[in-house]
């Protein structure tokens, strides 16, 4: 069925893409930048970050990406950062850079213990002197790599981040004063309840002059019609688009799921995937 997977076409978001292009321009001029991509679940944050990564690569930039994982209260320290930096460790041409950085930044060996950067050490706790070494090492790697070409570090789903990862974001946002480096993070606005641990960090970050916040709104009906047409391969009847827009409230993922289920009017049941997502939001 045509609606079982999302289309590769990118619809709308012209304003947001303009913001991201401006960020990449500043990075190329040697001005470190931080981008916060916010929006509800399913609104298109990952698509936008993929577009950012594509545009960055077309400019000759190095893109490193990692994602937080929902693990409840047992979040693994630095998980998305380690995932991103391993892309350098696994690249023979980049491994030399890591080795050189590790010689002056011992925290790198603690962050990537299963590489040849240092002897294995016990797991990181994210506290005290060890943490400062790790934070310095992450900054040193990014700034050092940016001497070859600009670097974009993408960390997705920061609402699931452990404290150590949030500390990395805070540290980089406040201490990156040189180097052609961009840090782009995404988070779900609808996950941030009043006591969510990410809220205080976001409140600090948005006050910094190097931080750009990109808020993704739901699609308008016209944008959704274009999006659904790209998925279906042909224009949909206006009534069906109107019905899906009303039920999905313009959320692209919800709309895709409704289209896949043949929805467009109230009597069609919600597909299981969408029902689970909505139930999780209600429970939250």
């Amino acid at each position: 069925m045509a609606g079982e997977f999302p289309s590769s076409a990118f619809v709308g978001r012209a304003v947001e893409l303009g913001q991201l292009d401006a960020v990449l321009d500043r990075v190329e001029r040697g001005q470190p930048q931080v981008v916060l991509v916010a929006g509800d679940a399913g609104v298109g944050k990952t698509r936008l970050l993929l577009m950012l990564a594509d545009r960055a690569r077309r400019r000759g930039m190095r893109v490193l990406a990692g994602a937080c994982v929902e693990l409840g209260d047992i979040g693994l320290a630095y998980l998305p950062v380690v995932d991103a930096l391993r892309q350098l460790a696994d690249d023979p041409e980049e491994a030399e850079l890591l080795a050189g950085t590790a010689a002056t930044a011992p925290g790198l060996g603690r962050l990537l213990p299963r590489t040849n950067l240092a002897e294995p050490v016990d797991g990181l706790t994210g506290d005290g002197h060890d943490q400062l070494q790790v934070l310095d090492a992450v900054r040193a790697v990014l700034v050092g790599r940016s001497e070859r070409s600009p670097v974009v570090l993408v960390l997705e789903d920061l609402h699931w981040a452990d404290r150590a990862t949030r500390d990395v974001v805070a540290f980089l946002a406040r201490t990156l004063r040189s180097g052609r480096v961009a840090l782009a993070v995404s988070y779900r606005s609808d996950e941030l309840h009043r006591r969510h641990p990410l809220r205080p960090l976001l409140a600090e970050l948005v006050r910094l002059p190097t931080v750009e916040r990109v808020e993704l709104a739901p699609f308008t009906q016209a944008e959704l019609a274009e999006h659904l047409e790209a998925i279906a391969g042909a224009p949909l009847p206006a009534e069906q688009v109107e019905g899906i827009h009303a039920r999905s409230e313009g959320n692209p993922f919800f709309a895709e799921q409704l289209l896949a289920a043949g929805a467009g009017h109230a009597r069609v049941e919600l597909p299981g995937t969408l029902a689970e997502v909505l139930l999780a939001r209600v429970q939250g």
Side-chain angles (χ1 to χ4, degrees):
M1 179 182 295
E4 288 182 349
F5 14 59
S7 163
S8 59
F10 192 84
V11 175
R13 309 305 190 197
V15 173
E16 293 84 355
L17 288 175
Q19 288 179 267
L20 297 181
D21 283 337
V23 165
L24 296 181
D25 289 341
R26 291 192 289 271
V27 169
E28 286 183 327
R29 295 195 296 268
Q31 303 172 23
Q33 299 287 297
V34 177
V35 182
L36 308 176
V37 178
D40 290 350
V43 80
K45 298 181 297 299
T46 295
R47 281 178 180 262
L48 187 67
L49 288 177
L50 287 173
M51 284 296 294
L52 170 64
D54 181 65
R55 288 162 115 84
R57 291 189 183 100
R58 290 173 182 270
R59 292 178 179 226
M61 299 182 176
R62 184 64 159 98
V63 178
L64 305 172
C68 304
V69 179
E70 186 179 18
L71 295 174
D73 296 330
I74 61 168
L76 300 178
Y78 305 106
L79 176 62
V81 180
V82 170
D83 191 25
L85 294 186
R86 282 197 179 279
Q87 295 162 37
L88 292 178
D90 293 341
D91 186 334
E93 296 183 1
E94 306 280 18
E96 181 180 349
L97 168 68
L98 289 180
T101 303
T104 57
L108 190 58
R110 295 179 175 275
L111 195 63
L112 301 171
R114 289 186 296 278
T115 66
N116 60 0
L117 300 178
E119 295 182 1
V121 295
D122 293 335
L124 290 161
T125 63
D127 296 323
H129 185 255
D130 285 351
Q131 185 190 27
L132 180 58
Q133 287 188 334
V134 169
L135 298 177
D136 278 333
V138 173
R139 180 179 57 185
V141 168
L142 296 176
V143 173
R145 178 57 183 79
S146 74
E147 293 178 0
R148 299 183 183 180
S149 63
V151 176
V152 179
L153 174 61
V154 178
L155 303 179
E156 287 201 73
D157 296 323
L158 204 64
H159 51 279
W160 289 331
D162 62 283
R163 178 177 177 179
T165 298
R166 295 194 301 271
D167 288 344
V168 170
V169 172
F171 182 81
L172 292 177
R174 289 190 172 278
T175 64
L176 272 175
R177 300 185 181 90
S178 63
R180 296 178 295 172
V181 180
L183 170 62
V185 303
S186 68
Y187 62 92
R188 292 182 182 176
S189 306
D190 51 340
E191 291 272 354
L192 301 187
H193 54 77
R194 187 173 60 180
R195 296 185 179 180
H196 194 288
L198 184 59
R199 291 182 71 95
L201 172 59
L202 294 175
E204 293 181 15
L205 293 182
V206 295
R207 295 198 295 266
L208 300 177
T210 57
V211 174
E212 182 87 12
R213 188 173 185 273
V214 179
E215 178 75 37
L216 288 185
F219 277 162
T220 64
Q221 188 166 318
E223 290 172 332
L224 190 64
E226 183 181 350
H227 180 61
L228 296 178
E229 178 181 343
I231 295 173
L236 271 62
E239 288 185 1
Q240 187 178 13
V241 172
E242 184 178 354
I244 293 177
H245 184 265
R247 298 188 70 186
S248 68
E249 297 183 340
N251 185 291
F253 172 73
F254 293 178
E256 290 166 8
Q257 293 293 311
L258 290 168
L259 179 64
H265 41 78
R267 67 174 179 272
V268 175
E269 293 184 2
L270 290 176
T273 306
L274 179 53
E276 291 172 2
V277 172
L278 292 175
L279 179 59
R281 293 181 69 183
V282 171
Q283 290 175 335

